[in-house]
Amino acid sequence: MENLGSLNVFVRAGETRSFTAAGQQLGISASAVSKAIVRLEERLGVRLFHRSTRTVHLTPEGALFLERCRRILCEVESAEAELLQTQSAPRGKLRISLPSVGTLFMPKLAAFKRLYPDIELDIDYADRLVDVIEEGFDAVIRTGEPSDSRLMARRIGSCRKVIVGAPAYFRRAGVPREPQDLASHACLLYRFPSTGKLDVWPLGLAAGAPPVDLPASMVTNTLDPQVCFAEQGLGIACVPEIAVRRQLEQGRLVTVLDDHNREHMIFHVLWPSSRQLSPKIRVFVDFIAQHLFPLSDALEQPIRSGQRCAPAM
């Protein structure tokens, strides 16, 4: 690259026939141009310019070398243009991580794949705290507030968490009217894989009210068993509404305690912070922000995160 820089200086000086004009084009001094030419002549062992106090002229060797250097620099510029064009086309492997609820996003991801067939999707489902940088992910979708300072984040939408059960279960066990009523129900609980802690249900308890002791009928670290057991009438689960929207519409599940539950899950797409955002990540982030949730629910501007990204459910 240093040699190419010297050739560029020589070409500018040869075309302008002036060290001063060449320096002005390059943003350096005439003295710096002169020194670069001297180093180039010493390396080549040939004089490239005849110099006088007022003008410089190419030697025959210099004129021949100028034509060669022009072709060399033209080839370099063409190669750079081709490389930039290649980089600007969304292609290559895109490694993404989604929470287990992300299986519901598959129709949208299929649409993304049809739109960008040259992007190879490598999809990981993980309800755990992933290290985006260390594990080599290009982008991840997660709930909660992003907190990894090495990442950029963009909010893509939100959904309610709902407490659900099958109609048959409620006919048998009764419908809870207050959060405290859950103490006598079979609860299907979720454990965060990264911490081992149980998910806290959004019960809207008054300040100072004692927490409700939820009897654990089943504990799992992924979403599907909760939904399955709830549909089978085996207990009550607290899950993202988007995970059971079809069951709610069909009446296989119903919600309870809605007046006490005002919590929403916020979804973000996160990607490694970089000056040069690759085309494949750029189009993925834009597509997800526009299509995964209603547009009115997504923020248009990316934000920088804090220290670590939150686990998902």
Side-chain angles (χ1 to χ4, degrees):
M1 294 304 296
E2 181 179 353
N3 290 342
L4 286 176
S6 299
L7 296 184
N8 188 37
V9 172
F10 166 71
V11 169
R12 298 297 183 96
E15 290 176 340
T16 61
R17 302 299 195 270
S18 168
F19 290 178
T20 300
Q24 290 173 345
Q25 291 182 6
L26 295 168
I28 59 178
S29 68
S31 175
V33 172
S34 178
K35 291 177 180 178
I37 297 298
V38 169
R39 288 195 296 270
L40 183 59
E41 290 175 331
E42 291 175 349
R43 188 168 71 246
L44 297 174
V46 65
R47 182 175 290 274
L48 300 172
F49 288 96
H50 293 301
R51 300 166 177 82
S52 69
T53 55
R54 294 185 179 181
T55 61
V56 294
H57 298 281
L58 286 165
T59 64
E61 294 82 2
L64 177 63
F65 192 57
L66 177 62
E67 292 305 314
R68 293 291 185 96
C69 288
R70 280 173 173 163
R71 290 197 292 269
I72 291 171
L73 293 178
C74 183
E75 285 295 320
V76 171
E77 290 176 359
S78 297
E80 289 178 345
E82 290 177 1
L83 182 58
L84 289 174
Q85 185 177 4
T86 300
Q87 290 178 335
S88 64
R91 65 179 67 240
K93 180 180 290 188
L94 183 70
R95 188 160 187 252
I96 59 178
S97 176
L98 310 177
S100 60
V101 70
T103 54
L104 303 170
F105 303 153
M106 290 312 298
K108 300 294 186 181
L109 291 178
F112 174 80
K113 177 62 177 176
R114 284 193 294 270
L115 190 61
Y116 299 102
D118 291 333
I119 295 180
E120 175 190 345
L121 291 177
D122 184 341
I123 304 173
D124 173 78
Y125 287 100
D127 285 340
R128 62 181 178 84
L129 188 68
V130 298
D131 191 314
V132 180
I133 306 296
E134 295 298 326
E135 297 183 48
F137 289 108
D138 294 303
V140 302
I141 295 175
R142 285 295 181 267
T143 60
E145 288 303 315
S147 57
D148 192 326
S149 61
R150 303 168 300 168
L151 305 177
M152 298 294 289
R154 185 171 177 178
R155 175 173 164 167
I156 56 176
S158 66
C159 75
R160 280 202 315 151
K161 290 180 69 175
V162 290
I163 300 171
V164 298
Y169 172 84
F170 292 123
R171 286 194 296 268
R172 183 175 72 252
V175 177
R177 305 296 180 183
E178 300 292 335
Q180 290 75 14
D181 295 342
L182 292 172
S184 60
H185 283 268
C187 296
L188 310 171
L189 305 181
Y190 175 87
R191 175 181 285 121
F192 290 105
S194 57
T195 65
K197 295 182 178 179
L198 294 177
D199 184 37
V200 178
W201 289 17
L203 300 176
L205 299 175
V212 178
D213 186 16
L214 301 176
S217 175
M218 185 267 289
V219 178
T220 179
N221 64 357
T222 191
L223 185 66
D224 289 343
Q226 286 183 289
V227 176
C228 177
F229 276 44
E231 281 192 87
Q232 295 298 317
L234 298 174
I236 304 175
C238 181
V239 296
E241 185 178 29
I242 58 173
V244 291
R245 186 169 293 163
R246 184 173 64 255
Q247 291 89 332
L248 293 173
E249 291 173 350
Q250 296 172 353
R252 302 204 305 271
L253 291 174
V254 296
T255 63
V256 296
L257 298 173
D258 288 337
D259 291 339
H260 297 272
N261 174 18
R262 304 297 181 189
E263 182 172 318
H264 279 70
M265 302 172 64
I266 307 299
F267 285 81
H268 289 86
V269 56
L270 304 103
W271 66 96
S273 176
S274 173
R275 287 186 178 181
Q276 297 295 329
L277 182 61
S278 68
K280 63 183 179 181
I281 299 178
R282 182 185 300 110
V283 295
F284 177 76
V285 169
D286 289 342
F287 183 92
I288 291 301
Q290 294 173 17
H291 298 286
L292 208 59
F293 288 90
L295 281 174
S296 59
D297 207 24
L299 299 180
E300 291 302 318
Q301 297 299 323
I303 57 175
R304 187 174 295 276
S305 306
Q307 291 184 331
R308 290 190 64 82
C309 60
M313 177 179 174

